[in-house]
């Protein structure tokens, strides 16, 4: 059974929630620390870069995959 963790965030002054698997939250937290930004700031950045048709949860997952691929290529 897939487990989702829902977190509430404020994006551009609006409260929203995002449900992702714990593993994705773990990497998003890591990215935020590495980039010295808040988690909400990172999600806001992801939100600003996604197309209107793409759900925010999907954009967050793609961001994590791209980060991990880039990190793997740098090793």
């Amino acid at each position: 059974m897939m487990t989702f963790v829902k977190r509430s965030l404020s994006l551009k002054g609006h409260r929203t929630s995002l449900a992702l698997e714990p593993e994705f939250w773990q990497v998003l937290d890591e990215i935020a620390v590495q980039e010295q930004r808040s988690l909400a700031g990172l999600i806001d950045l992801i939100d600003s870069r996604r197309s209107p048709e793409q759900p925010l949860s999907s954009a967050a997952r793609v961001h994590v995959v791209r980060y991990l691929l880039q990190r793997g290529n740098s090793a």
Side-chain angles (χ1 to χ4, degrees), residues 22-43:
E23 295 84 359
F24 283 100
W25 283 121
Q26 182 180 354
V27 178
L28 287 168
D29 287 332
E30 177 184 320
I31 295 169
V33 168
Q34 181 180 341
E35 295 181 358
Q36 298 181 339
R37 65 174 82 232
S38 67
L39 179 62
L42 176 61
I43 299 298

Side-chain angles (χ1 to χ4, degrees), residues 6-75:
K6 186 180 273 192
R7 293 198 190 175
S8 296
L9 304 160
S10 184
L11 301 177
K12 297 177 183 67
H14 299 283
R15 295 294 291 171
T16 190
S17 61
L18 187 60
L20 296 170
E21 297 80 1
E23 295 84 359
F24 283 100
W25 283 121
Q26 182 180 354
V27 178
L28 287 168
D29 287 332
E30 177 184 320
I31 295 169
V33 168
Q34 181 180 341
E35 295 181 358
Q36 298 181 339
R37 65 174 82 232
S38 67
L39 179 62
L42 176 61
I43 299 298
D44 187 51
L45 177 68
I46 294 168
D47 185 41
S48 70
R49 292 179 175 172
R50 72 183 171 105
S51 69
E53 304 84 35
Q54 185 181 28
L56 182 56
S57 59
S58 174
R61 288 183 183 97
V62 169
H63 190 84
V64 166
V65 170
R66 287 179 178 158
Y67 168 80
L68 292 173
L69 287 171
Q70 182 181 23
R71 188 174 78 176
N73 290 335
S74 298

